């Protein structure tokens, strides 16, 4: 992804990112080999390095997409790889854990089953797969400019569960988190970053509101799921 604001990975996580990091249990990190499909700028890599990971592979679709993370994270337990979510460049049974945050909605339309099948293939027996994606709800759709402009996909619990069941995954946990402030924070980010080429306005205020929402038990903005290979 184009890093127009020269953002760098850091340990200060909030909202959706903080919830995703906390969702991944320590037992699925410590001394484990992890694949991060769509590693972005490397926030999850920094998080698991402090939690005893054996090795994590951060994957992106192109060398340019890996530029920021490679410049900012140099650690012998971290490897970076170019690859496609629907054709993973790894051997069978290579990883204990896979994570993929806000990626499935960006792969080619109608290839979701391929992504799940590939995740199953490279996971070890009883391996786990964590995934997040925008939730298919009225408000999360209308507050997403990319949904209006380029058909940015959102998913329901039913759709995600069907992909899992068809590709030999068991759903261990599925949550929908984030409400109106989460959507407004994303909208603020879109407008500030892509139109004004600046950091989000009133960023700290939005962070406080979004963090408060994610502490609640329900929401309608984003789906978070933990699967197990069966």
């Amino acid at each position: 992804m184009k890093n127009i604001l020269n953002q760098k990975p850091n340990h200060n996580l909030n909202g959706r990112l903080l919830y995703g990091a906390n969702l991944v249990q320590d037992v699925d990190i410590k001394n484990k080999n992890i694949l991060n499909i769509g590693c972005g700028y490397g926030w999850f890599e920094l998080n698991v390095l402090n939690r005893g990971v054996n090795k994590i592979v951060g994957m992106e679709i192109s060398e340019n997409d890996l530029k920021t993370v490679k410049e900012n994270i140099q650690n012998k337990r971290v490897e970076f790889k170019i690859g496609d979510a629907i054709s993973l460049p790894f051997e069978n049974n290579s990883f204990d854990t896979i994570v993929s945050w806000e990626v499935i909605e960006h792969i080619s339309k109608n290839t979701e089953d391929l992504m799940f099948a590939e995740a199953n293939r490279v996971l070890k027996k009883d391996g786990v797969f964590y995934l997040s994606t925008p939730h298919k709800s009225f408000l999360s759709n209308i507050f997403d400019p990319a949904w209006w402009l380029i058909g940015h996909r959102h998913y329901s619990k039913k759709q995600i569960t069907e992909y899992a069941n068809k590709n030999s995954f068991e759903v261990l946990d599925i949550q929908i988190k984030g409400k109106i402030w989460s959507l407004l924070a994303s909208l603020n980010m879109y407008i500030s970053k892509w139109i004004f080429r600046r950091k989000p306005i009133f960023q700290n205020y939005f962070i406080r509101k979004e963090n408060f929402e994610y502490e609640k038990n329900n929401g309608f903005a984003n789906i978070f799921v933990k699967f197990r290979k069966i």
Side-chain angles (χ1 to χ4, degrees), residues 15 25 34 68 91 108 110 133 149 164 166 170 200-201 213 224:
Q25 296 176 292
I34 299 177
T68 296
E91 298 293 328
S108 298
N110 298 321
T133 190
L149 297 173
K166 284 192 290 184
E170 174 189 9
I201 60 173
E213 282 187 347
F224 295 83

Side-chain angles (χ1 to χ4, degrees), residues 1-229:
M1 66 189 74
K2 189 175 181 182
N3 193 356
I4 62 176
L5 299 182
N6 195 30
Q7 294 171 271
K8 296 180 180 180
N10 63 74
H11 295 283
N12 185 27
L13 303 179
N14 293 283
R16 176 176 56 81
L17 301 188
L18 178 61
Y19 187 82
N22 290 338
L23 181 68
V24 184
Q25 296 176 292
D26 287 339
V27 69
D28 298 324
I29 294 174
K30 191 170 183 180
N31 300 320
K32 302 296 186 180
N33 294 328
I34 299 177
L35 171 62
N36 184 4
I37 300 175
C39 63
Y41 301 151
W43 64 270
F44 189 73
E45 281 68 19
L46 286 183
N47 181 268
V48 299
L49 282 173
N50 286 340
R51 297 168 65 182
V53 69
N54 179 60
K55 179 181 179 180
I56 181 166
V57 178
M59 194 187 82
E60 274 291 350
I61 196 69
S62 72
E63 186 64 37
N64 186 58
D65 290 316
L66 287 171
K67 184 174 184 293
T68 296
V69 70
K70 281 186 171 182
E71 288 176 350
N72 289 281
I73 300 179
Q74 291 89 38
N75 188 290
K76 63 182 181 180
R77 291 182 289 157
V78 183
E79 179 185 339
F80 300 108
K81 189 85 171 178
I82 297 170
D84 192 324
I86 63 174
S87 182
L88 297 174
F90 307 104
E91 298 293 328
N92 296 352
N93 310 309
S94 297
F95 299 97
D96 303 289
T97 302
I98 294 177
V99 300
S100 186
W101 312 116
E102 312 296 306
V103 171
I104 191 172
E105 67 271 18
H106 296 289
I107 65 176
S108 298
K109 191 175 181 180
N110 298 321
T111 62
E112 292 90 347
D113 278 321
L114 291 175
M115 179 176 175
F116 272 81
E118 279 292 276
N120 186 284
R121 180 183 65 79
V122 303
L123 271 176
K124 296 177 182 178
K125 188 179 186 305
D126 295 322
V128 293
F129 178 23
Y130 291 88
L131 175 145
S132 71
T133 190
H135 180 229
K136 189 176 183 179
S137 68
F138 175 74
L139 287 176
S140 63
N141 286 352
I142 65 171
F143 275 90
D144 180 4
W147 182 82
W148 289 97
L149 297 173
I150 59 172
H152 190 227
R153 298 192 302 276
H154 293 209
Y155 297 88
S156 66
K157 278 186 176 182
K158 180 180 178 182
Q159 286 175 297
I160 294 297
T161 300
E162 287 176 349
Y163 295 138
N165 292 339
K166 284 192 290 184
N167 293 283
S168 300
F169 280 105
E170 174 189 9
V171 176
L172 298 180
D173 187 27
I174 185 164
Q175 302 287 335
I176 302 178
K177 306 291 290 187
K179 296 185 177 180
I180 192 66
W181 283 106
S182 301
L183 300 178
L184 290 174
S186 295
L187 188 60
N188 183 29
M189 182 274 294
Y190 274 122
I191 294 172
S192 300
K193 179 178 179 179
W194 295 107
I195 297 179
F196 297 108
R197 297 298 199 259
R198 54 154 293 163
K199 292 182 179 180
I201 60 173
F202 306 117
Q203 186 173 32
N204 290 335
Y205 178 78
F206 278 96
I207 285 173
R208 289 196 300 271
K209 291 291 190 179
E210 190 174 9
N211 285 344
F212 178 76
E213 282 187 347
Y214 268 88
E215 292 172 1
K216 301 299 181 181
N217 291 328
N218 53 26
F220 49 76
N222 290 284
I223 297 180
F224 295 83
V225 196
K226 179 181 180 180
F227 310 96
R228 181 177 66 86
K229 177 178 176 177

